[in-house]
Amino acid sequence: MASSKHNGELRRLALSVLQPGFVGTEAPDWVLRDIGDGLASVVLFSRNIVSTEQVARLTAQLRSENPELIVAIDEEAGDVTRIESATGSSRPGNFALGTVDDTELTEAVAADLGRQLHTAGVSLDYAPSADVNSNPDNPIIGVRSFGSDPDVVSRHTAAWIQGLQSSGVAACAKHFPGHGDVAVDSHHDLPAYGAGRDEIAAQALPPFRAALAAGVRAVMSGHLLVPAYDPDLPATLSRRILRDLLRGELGFDGLVVSDAIEMGAVTRRYGIDGATVKAVAAGVDAICVGGESAEEATTELLVKALAAAVAAGELPEERLAEAAGRVREFAGWSAALRASAGGAGETAGDGIGHLAARRAVRVTGAAREALPLTAAPHVVELAPLTNMAIGKETPWGVAGPLRERLPGTTSVRVREEELREEILELTSCALEPATGRPLVVVTRDAARHPWMSRAVTGLTTARPDAIVVEMGLPGAVTAAHAQIFTHGASAASGVAAADVLTGRD
């Protein structure tokens, strides 16, 4: 009898440290049942979202089992959006805000987002990215960062957190100890950050220190190897990084959340169950899971793995209980934060979001001479493969908003494989339709994609009057060409670019 009671307690503890996702726009029975059994958190993805009103109904349904349930979302605004995944974000992302470098604007944009999330019933946002994008070839961070200068990233990280939390939604600084200087996407494999401790202290850690000073109560670990601290284990699985560095040196006493535990950086070596056990043992308090593995069987697998690890002595029960206690403490704090914001009310987002996106646009002299467009252009959008943090369904680009402003605008979207396999040819799809009309070429991180750079060179050589709109990291500025830089590919940034192209201010 005592054994079965203990097993029940272990199951509650194990459930309480998971933050699973699920499929559907209503709460599945198994999720409601698990909340009754001790599950303390869930995470929402774009598949759970139709509208703010529908999400509010969903979160109310979930909280009927536990009023303090943590409802998390991975909503950065900008390129990485869940709440507006179907339309694209009505707010610019971090890089655009860092480019403007007005902390009051950053705080206002985050507060605006916070009001929408608060209305939807969300209590924890896995944002902001506090990573310093010091490697321009970084395939996973890029415009998700406020920039490459630790001071800029630090002050905007703090402002974003203060803005979001002023609206009653808890922020989460990520991806500790800094994912900005890597060249591998951790969704697929394990990246390494090879800097020494002094460089890490100067480059990567300042934004996290600023986040703590700004009152952040959740920090997300990154799946990256940092040999200066631990040559063997990625940060999510490393006591040296989570306990010694984050808790010890930085003095953080809040909730440590893992990056999605099903990512290849940790599962390729340890499996999803092994990675979960190792993460909790190392000091993670809450395991984010379910971006891809969103079925009941995954949650059950992880519950059993945690309980079995306690029974086998691989995971001290005191550590599991400590993690559960931190989740409980955070749940109470975040519920109080939500209540303190009261009925702040949702904002449409298009006011401050559009203003911020427009302020982030930069135009070269050659482009100024070519503007505004008066005839309907042909738009060629060169589309890269994006990383898994960016929803495949999320629209981006300039052709749509341009078509609204200049009826008769035509467009084509071109991908690398279409050029490589000669499915499309730039002369026929890009140059010929633009004969006698303006040509607008839209890129997204052209400097990181040789095929895209080659295409731009070919198009601007054939059409020196072409206007290039770069919606990713700017790369090289070429004085001879007309260039516009939006510093992000959100819907707000696309609208801002279209306004500049057509002379609307």
Side-chain angles (χ1 to χ4, degrees):
M1 185 74 177
S3 175
S4 66
K5 183 182 178 185
H6 182 244
N7 289 341
E9 289 170 358
L10 266 187
R11 176 176 167 76
R12 283 192 80 82
L13 287 177
L15 271 172
S16 72
V17 303
L18 301 180
Q19 296 193 336
F22 57 87
V23 176
T25 55
E26 295 183 359
D29 289 342
W30 70 266
V31 172
L32 296 173
R33 188 169 59 249
D34 279 354
I35 294 170
D37 289 347
L39 184 69
S41 317
V42 296
V43 56
L44 304 180
F45 293 92
S46 55
R47 61 174 176 247
N48 306 119
I49 294 165
V50 176
S51 67
T52 304
E53 295 73 25
Q54 166 265 323
V55 178
R57 290 193 298 272
L58 170 59
T59 54
Q61 182 189 15
L62 290 163
R63 287 208 175 92
S64 66
E65 297 290 330
N66 174 6
E68 290 193 351
L69 182 78
I70 300 165
V71 179
I73 196 169
D74 187 17
E75 173 60 55
E76 299 176 15
D79 290 25
V80 178
T81 180
R82 308 294 176 232
I83 200 77
E84 296 184 292
S85 67
T87 57
S89 178
S90 57
R91 306 167 184 93
N94 286 1
F95 189 52
L97 295 171
T99 298
V100 177
D101 198 11
D102 176 345
T103 53
E104 288 185 6
L105 180 69
T106 295
E107 188 171 341
V109 169
D112 183 70
L113 172 64
R115 285 189 288 273
Q116 183 178 9
L117 296 180
H118 183 275
T119 299
V122 171
S123 55
L124 169 63
D125 186 7
Y126 296 149
S129 166
D131 308 294
V132 180
N133 197 64
S134 46
N135 182 346
D137 290 327
N138 192 326
I140 183 66
I141 302 300
V143 296
R144 299 167 66 192
S145 166
F146 289 109
S148 57
D149 181 332
D151 290 340
V152 171
V153 176
S154 295
R155 61 177 171 263
H156 288 278
T157 294
W160 209 96
I161 289 165
Q162 287 162 347
L164 187 79
Q165 295 192 163
S166 74
S167 296
V169 178
C172 177
K174 63 185 183 185
H175 307 80
F176 190 81
H179 215 303
D181 191 8
V182 302
V184 171
D185 184 344
S186 49
H187 288 93
H188 306 298
D189 210 339
L190 181 62
Y193 178 23
R197 290 194 181 195
D198 288 348
E199 185 180 340
I200 292 169
Q203 180 193 66
L205 295 182
F208 290 97
R209 292 187 185 276
L212 269 58
V216 85
R217 299 294 301 151
V219 170
M220 178 177 280
S221 64
H223 300 330
L224 71 160
L225 199 66
V226 190
Y229 285 94
D230 193 327
D232 303 314
L233 293 167
T236 299
L237 313 182
S238 170
R239 283 182 61 88
R240 296 178 192 175
I241 291 172
L242 299 182
R243 308 286 284 196
D244 300 347
L245 178 59
L246 178 57
R247 295 224 184 272
E249 190 177 321
L250 270 65
F252 180 62
D253 63 355
L255 187 76
V256 176
V257 185
S258 77
D259 204 348
I261 204 68
E262 63 262 53
M263 287 165 63
V266 290
T267 57
R268 283 179 66 160
R269 182 176 295 185
Y270 304 105
I272 191 170
D273 47 351
T276 294
V277 169
K278 285 184 175 295
V280 175
V284 168
D285 305 307
I287 299 290
C288 171
V289 64
E292 299 158 71
S293 308
E295 50 288 310
E296 180 182 8
T298 299
T299 297
E300 281 306 304
L301 171 69
L302 300 188
V303 166
K304 287 175 181 172
L306 289 165
V310 170
E314 297 168 24
L315 173 62
E317 188 170 345
E318 308 82 63
R319 166 78 275 266
L320 184 60
E322 178 192 44
R326 288 195 190 277
V327 171
R328 200 163 48 247
E329 182 184 354
F330 182 88
W333 175 80
S334 61
L337 185 69
R338 282 188 70 235
S340 71
E346 183 188 346
T347 61
D350 53 6
I352 190 68
H354 181 263
L355 171 69
R358 179 62 189 82
R359 286 182 63 187
V361 175
R362 300 290 180 266
V363 183
T364 63
R368 279 196 193 90
E369 293 169 16
L371 298 177
L373 298 178
T374 53
H378 183 57
V379 182
V380 181
E381 294 178 335
L382 301 174
L385 281 173
T386 53
N387 65 65
M388 288 176 68
I390 299 170
K392 295 286 180 275
E393 74 283 357
T394 304
W396 67 280
V398 178
L402 260 184
R403 197 171 288 116
E404 292 173 9
R405 286 153 182 75
L406 290 172
T409 295
T410 56
S411 66
V412 63
R413 186 160 283 188
V414 181
R415 294 169 178 80
E416 179 183 13
E417 65 272 16
E418 293 170 328
L419 293 179
R420 187 177 62 243
E421 296 168 16
E422 299 181 352
I423 296 168
L424 285 177
E425 205 272 321
L426 286 176
T427 300
S428 57
C429 77
L431 293 173
E432 289 175 0
T435 302
R437 304 165 57 193
L439 174 61
V440 176
V441 182
V442 183
T443 59
R444 196 169 179 178
D445 289 327
R448 275 206 311 113
H449 299 286
W451 73 271
M452 200 181 293
S453 296
R454 287 193 298 272
V456 171
T457 299
L459 291 169
T460 53
T461 299
R463 283 287 302 268
D465 63 333
I467 299 172
V468 179
V469 180
E470 171 59 77
M471 302 192 79
L473 294 178
V477 177
T478 309
H481 293 144
Q483 291 174 291
I484 295 173
F485 303 98
T486 62
H487 305 96
S490 71
S493 296
V495 167
D499 282 349
V500 169
L501 285 161
T502 55
R504 293 190 187 184
D505 277 320

